[in-house]
Amino acid sequence: MSKTLVYDTLTIPDPSFYDEQVKMFGFWYGMSNICVFPTKVSGTSAYQKSSGDAQTDHNILHLKHTTMLFDPKVRQLVNESSGVFQELQTNVEDPNKSTDALFYSRKYRAILSACILAIDQHNLDKSNETYNQYKLLLHNLELIWHLCEVLYLVTVPGDTILNNLLDWIKIHYEKAENQASMIIEDKTAYFTDEHVEEKFPFYWDAVFGLVLQGNTDMVRMLLCNHSQSDTESFVQAMKILKSMPTYSVYGGLPIAEYNSRFKGWQSSAKNKLDCGIFLSNSNLNDVMKIICGEPDSTDLIRKHCSTWFEFLVAQLIYTEPTIKKHNLSLNAHRSVAKYYDEPEYYHMDSLALDLFDGDLEAFVKKLKSYPDSGWSSTHLTNLLHLCDKIEPEFDMIDAVESTNPNEQYLLDYGTFLMSHHSLWQAGVTYLDHCSAIGKGYLSILLSKLEISSDLRISKILHYATARRLHNVVSSICKVKGMLSLQKSRIGEALCWAIRGQDSAFATYLGDMLLKEYSKGGQFICPDILDNLGSIVVTCDRFMFIGKYLQLIKLAKDEKLSEAASLYIEILRSNICPKYFRLRLLLDVLIFLNDNNECYFNTIDMSLITMRLDDAIMESNEDERFVDQFLLNQVSSIRKGIVKLVSSSLIK
């Protein structure tokens, strides 16, 4: 397998790093971020940091690598897989619905295939190296995901796994089959003297490739098209291929009987090989060596395999066709050792070996470091967790306390998606399924989202409200309210305060409204004040404003008796702010009329008089509550009170 280079070397253009005494320290955080900082160390101790001088005043650099998931052509992988993930979690939580892990695994793989196809269509000439790299990463990911599916999600009676491995190889290594189709579909050779093997230089490569995938039917079709197809060697080869026994778990043939038939067939073919029937064509002779399982065919098989995966399966076809799943580990390690000249284990090799070894815990840990920003580790670990293929908990490095690996990966991936301007909604889906800790993450991350448009604000508030994240709703509404207030849009700010149920901010706005009323004699934004909603329950200031507006309306409608009762209720409750008390007491004059009718009894008049004395005293003690205009009206208020008292006595 060729080595996949994922990241290029990055040079940090900071002069601090040019000093030989400066060492670079750093740490990863999140999915794709690294914090790097130069640190000057002394010669005596490599870890003794010098500090306090100008020479160590260096920058702290935050680096973030570009992930392929944020590329527009790959973004469908995130969006579509999010829907499958949500559907899977919903079905798991519903006892009336069955959860077929294999079905959802194939759904995820279908999304991967569609994404690879989209990249291919966008990069037809293969000139964009970035997209070529993305395609390779996704193809390798689909390959390893499919292997996991074959080994752990597909149920095979008797654990005879070779047929499933053959399907896996055929799907992901299609070169030989495509070449064979091109040769077979070409009919010009029938009308000319041109030989097929000469017209198509890759003729024998296609034959070998199909033989190593066990596709004997197509191999016979290719041999039929050869210019020497009527010779004895080719006729015998096609007969051998046609008579090759195939095993099926549903065929009703016991394994022991099949092995006996297979060995008999292979022994017959070997006798013909030893007799030199196929020596007339060296390529055909090599094909028959592979079929007969000759020990010296190993190098020949290796030559025609692009990866050790193919090499492993190709060897098993003609040496152990009924191999059991638990015997794959030894064969896999042997194949790796034979395939590579030097011990050079790459990431994909390590992942595949863990699967063949049956070590799913090691597999999911290593999958975490695959350069897809956690997409595969999140979804595949979740799938394996839900179908009980991995333990709920195993040792993890840097895991959040009280979380299992499934939740840890969901937290990391969801947090990563929340950093994107349009994929954050998909991130919410994953954090929703992380028990209580996910809600805490979601609360913080939603609050930090940029509120760039009204549409985004509506979406954030919708998600926060649906999840009862009242602190998020309050925080966002407070920010929007303050922005509106800066633009002198008090009514709009009040709407945000009401929506966020922010009592403190609402109190501040209520004070502004009351002070404006004291100056101008009327409230601004009356339509909003008429529909305050539940804010009157949570905010004392608006409870007062609500009752005061009701008082004004009753007085305007000349329902003075009801207005008087409400007026006394307001005075008794003592919810009127200090700066507005004189203005409230001035309203006692609305109850004076020519009919000398009194709406208050003696106790009520005593209360009004007491509140007036308190208001005057507070004004004298605290200049903040002094309104000269209202102080000048004290005498008028007292005269009004005297008239009301006299009217009550006459009555």
Side-chain angles (χ1 to χ4, degrees), residues 418 420-421 424-425 428 442-477 480 496 499:
M418 291 289 287
H420 192 262
H421 63 89
W424 64 269
Q425 296 174 78
V428 174
L442 196 56
S443 176
I444 296 172
L445 293 170
L446 283 176
S447 300
K448 292 185 176 181
L449 287 175
E450 183 182 358
I451 48 178
S452 54
S453 66
D454 290 340
L455 178 60
R456 167 173 278 206
I457 293 169
S458 298
K459 289 180 179 179
I460 296 173
L461 291 177
H462 168 74
Y463 281 107
T465 304
R467 289 154 182 79
R468 299 182 179 179
L469 300 175
H470 303 302
N471 59 323
V472 177
V473 176
S474 177
S475 174
I476 294 174
C477 290
K480 285 297 294 181
W496 285 112
R499 187 170 184 178

Side-chain angles (χ1 to χ4, degrees), residues 76-96:
Q76 70 180 75
L77 183 67
V78 178
N79 293 326
E80 294 182 19
S81 60
S82 173
V84 175
F85 173 82
Q86 181 64 44
E87 180 185 340
L88 174 59
Q89 311 311 307
T90 302
N91 286 354
V92 169
E93 294 168 0
D94 190 345
N96 298 322

Side-chain angles (χ1 to χ4, degrees), residues 240 243 262-273 292:
I240 291 173
S243 62
F262 183 82
K263 288 178 180 179
W265 167 83
Q266 206 170 46
S267 176
S268 175
K270 190 175 184 306
N271 289 334
K272 293 180 180 180
L273 177 68
C292 293

Side-chain angles (χ1 to χ4, degrees), residues 269-336:
K270 190 175 184 306
N271 289 334
K272 293 180 180 180
L273 177 68
D274 293 340
C275 291
I277 294 178
F278 310 108
L279 288 175
S280 59
N281 189 297
S282 60
N283 286 316
L284 184 62
N285 192 64
D286 288 341
V287 168
M288 298 313 296
K289 281 185 178 180
I290 294 173
I291 289 175
C292 293
E294 290 288 276
D296 59 349
S297 65
T298 300
D299 290 338
L300 191 59
I301 295 174
R302 180 175 176 270
K303 174 184 174 183
H304 291 280
C305 292
S306 59
T307 66
W308 69 266
F309 307 139
E310 290 182 278
F311 181 64
L312 166 65
V313 176
Q315 284 188 305
L316 293 176
I317 295 173
Y318 303 106
T319 56
E320 294 185 65
T322 56
I323 187 171
K324 301 283 188 177
K325 179 180 171 182
H326 61 268
N327 291 327
L328 283 174
S329 177
L330 179 61
N331 285 275
H333 283 276
R334 286 176 177 173
S335 295
V336 172

